[in-house]
Amino acid sequence: MMMMLMLSLLLLYTVAASVFRPLPKGTQHPIPQHNDGSAPDHVSPNLFASLERFSRLVDITYCVGTTGIVPPFSCVSRCDEFPTLDLVTTWNTGVLMSDSCGYIAIDHGAGPKSFTRSGRVNSREDTMDIKSRGAIIVAFRGTYSITNTVVDLSTIPQEYVPYPSPDHGGSEPPREPKYTCHNCTVHMGFLTSWEMARTIVLPALEPLRKRYPDYPIYLVGHSLGGAVAALAALELKVISGWDKMIVTTFGEPRVGNDGFVEYLNSVFELGGEEKPIEARMFRRVTHVDDPVPSLPLSEWGYKSHAGEFFISKSDLPPGPSDIRACAGNHDPRCIAGSAGEPLKRTGQILAEEKMQDTPVWTGGLWDIPSRFKLWQLFFAHRDYFWRLGLCVPGGDPIDWGRDKYPNYTNGDEL
């Protein structure tokens, strides 16, 4: 309780200082450019079904460290909804603020329809096809102490240097990374969590890669697990060379600074003119009332990366029309607008667009900014398709009695 009070006061002070600071005379803010072809107002039914499916997979991670997951793939929560999965391993590094929990599983009946030889996802609308091929799933659990994790460790950014490629033995030199991270720092707690998990995750993945060379790898995570999934995905793609990859995070906090964001956007081709949304390799799902995607604060040097998919509906359940793909790192029609960060800049952008008769999204903008809504750490931060984070039959009791989402994939698993 004391920690929540301290965080509230700190947030109020910091944001008040930034929001009510007078703008310099003549200050201009560019109007964000949006490509209607890459950022439509809502997602397709197939993409919605894919995101919803991953939300259930990441919800299962909360059984790790509590009631458990056992082979072949069984738990008291939603495991029976995935009969094509086989459990490989689980891990639980402890109960500290930087704890890491999760599981690795093989899905023998799901995966994207095709990848190009370069590893890029096929960009057709039917990329997420039914029963097309297998996949390797790595799922990272969130933490029940996300507030403490963000506040207690966010003031100590850690230099980010991706691990060198493993020693292949003999005279073969280490593989030179294609991407380099310049002037990058990341949240120390998030990096520590991945460092603890990687000693278990990487050794478990290598034999799977040899046994299933054609399987793509799916990384999913909620909350702290989303940040860890991002760091894991970077290492697997840049250092270990896993090209066939899709990353999906829910309520992911800000991981690092501008340099880190530029690096991640480059690796996953999220910067500049973005790919069609069906072809994105990194999907960062946010919720209109969730404060965590706006933390740690930008005033502390942390930034959001691109690839955002924004749930604009406050209550459960959302539908495809409630989710939009966002453009760039700070789309004012997405979490950046609902976060009120800062209100003056966002308001001026909207005013300029209004003068040009450009439609704007304003839902929730002038209400309490989402990053002030600390009570939502227990509600909206968990409201990603389902109420996540409680390993009991049927998930959180709020979901009991709810039918499954309409199956947009003609009656089969993705």
Side-chain angles (χ1 to χ4, degrees):
M1 183 63 69
M2 181 62 68
M3 178 59 67
M4 292 290 290
L5 177 61
M6 292 175 62
L7 177 59
S8 300
L9 294 174
L10 179 59
L11 289 175
L12 287 170
Y13 173 82
T14 304
V15 179
S18 64
V19 169
F20 298 108
R21 184 191 306 119
L23 288 173
K25 186 177 182 180
T27 298
Q28 298 293 324
H29 298 281
I31 300 174
Q33 299 298 316
H34 299 278
N35 185 331
D36 291 337
S38 63
D41 289 335
H42 58 84
V43 301
S44 70
N46 274 355
L47 182 53
F48 176 89
S50 171
L51 297 175
E52 187 274 329
R53 181 176 190 266
F54 284 131
S55 74
R56 286 180 286 140
L57 286 171
V58 80
D59 187 35
I60 292 170
T61 62
Y62 284 90
C63 292
V64 179
T66 55
T67 55
I69 309 174
V70 298
F73 192 72
S74 178
C75 63
V76 301
S77 185
R78 306 181 191 278
C79 290
D80 59 355
E81 298 175 15
F82 300 94
T84 61
L85 264 63
D86 284 336
L87 183 67
V88 175
T89 189
T90 63
W91 73 90
N92 181 2
T93 62
V95 295
L96 300 177
M97 288 183 293
S98 57
D99 65 345
S100 180
C101 298
Y103 66 84
I104 299 174
I106 297 292
D107 190 343
H108 295 290
K113 185 172 184 178
S114 61
F115 285 84
T116 65
R117 289 186 178 181
S118 66
R120 298 179 181 179
V121 184
N122 190 310
S123 61
R124 292 178 297 173
E125 284 292 314
D126 64 350
T127 294
M128 293 297 175
D129 197 13
I130 58 173
K131 290 188 175 178
S132 53
R133 62 190 301 172
I136 301 169
I137 296 172
V138 184
F140 296 91
R141 199 194 78 180
T143 176
Y144 294 107
S145 58
I146 185 65
T147 306
N148 291 345
T149 302
V150 169
V151 174
D152 289 356
L153 298 176
S154 61
T155 55
I156 312 175
Q158 174 75 41
E159 181 182 5
Y160 177 72
V161 179
Y163 283 86
S165 57
D167 183 10
H168 296 285
S171 59
E172 183 181 352
R175 190 169 65 86
E176 184 69 22
K178 180 180 178 181
Y179 302 94
T180 304
C181 200
H182 298 287
N183 300 318
C184 295
T185 61
V186 296
H187 185 289
M188 187 179 73
F190 303 157
L191 183 59
T192 300
S193 187
W194 167 234
E195 288 173 343
M196 297 171 69
R198 73 186 297 276
T199 59
I200 301 170
V201 172
L202 296 186
L205 287 179
E206 282 307 315
L208 298 179
R209 188 180 192 182
K210 295 177 181 178
R211 185 175 181 181
Y212 306 102
D214 295 327
Y215 280 18
I217 184 170
Y218 292 168
L219 294 99
V220 298
H222 171 242
S223 191
L224 167 67
V228 178
L231 293 169
L234 283 170
E235 182 167 346
L236 288 172
K237 184 169 176 60
V238 176
I239 305 302
S240 299
W242 290 65
D243 290 322
K244 302 174 184 179
M245 177 183 299
I246 293 179
V247 189
T248 308
T249 66
F250 302 89
E252 174 195 331
R254 291 166 171 165
V255 181
N257 66 350
D258 277 321
F260 177 82
V261 166
E262 182 178 347
Y263 175 67
L264 186 147
N265 287 348
S266 297
V267 170
F268 292 103
E269 302 180 18
L270 297 174
E273 186 174 346
E274 297 187 28
K275 294 181 178 182
I277 63 171
E278 302 285 341
R280 287 184 185 176
M281 291 182 287
F282 201 122
R283 295 95 65 91
R284 180 172 65 89
V285 185
T286 65
H287 186 283
V288 60
D289 290 324
D290 185 3
V292 172
S294 301
L295 298 173
L297 298 174
S298 60
E299 290 86 351
W300 296 343
Y302 291 88
K303 305 296 180 183
S304 301
H305 63 77
E308 179 183 359
F309 286 84
F310 177 65
I311 302 174
S312 60
K313 183 181 179 182
S314 292
D315 55 331
L316 292 170
S321 62
D322 300 313
I323 304 172
R324 61 164 295 139
C326 309
N329 302 332
H330 303 286
D331 190 335
R333 298 164 183 79
C334 297
I335 196 68
S338 65
E341 185 182 16
L343 292 179
K344 281 186 174 291
R345 184 182 68 181
T346 306
Q348 184 165 352
I349 290 173
L350 294 175
E352 291 172 357
E353 292 190 341
K354 185 176 181 181
M355 291 175 61
Q356 298 183 17
D357 296 325
T358 303
V360 297
W361 176 86
T362 58
L365 178 62
W366 306 116
D367 298 330
I368 299 174
S370 63
R371 65 178 186 167
F372 285 177
K373 299 179 180 179
L374 299 183
W375 62 89
Q376 294 287 18
L377 290 168
F378 303 100
F379 298 100
H381 180 50
R382 298 166 54 203
D383 287 352
Y384 284 92
F385 299 91
W386 303 85
R387 179 65 62 82
L388 308 181
L390 188 62
C391 185
V392 297
D396 192 287
I398 196 174
D399 293 327
W400 290 356
R402 266 182 59 190
D403 292 333
K404 287 187 179 181
Y405 280 88
N407 199 320
Y408 296 101
T409 55
N410 300 322
D412 287 296
E413 287 282 359
L414 289 174

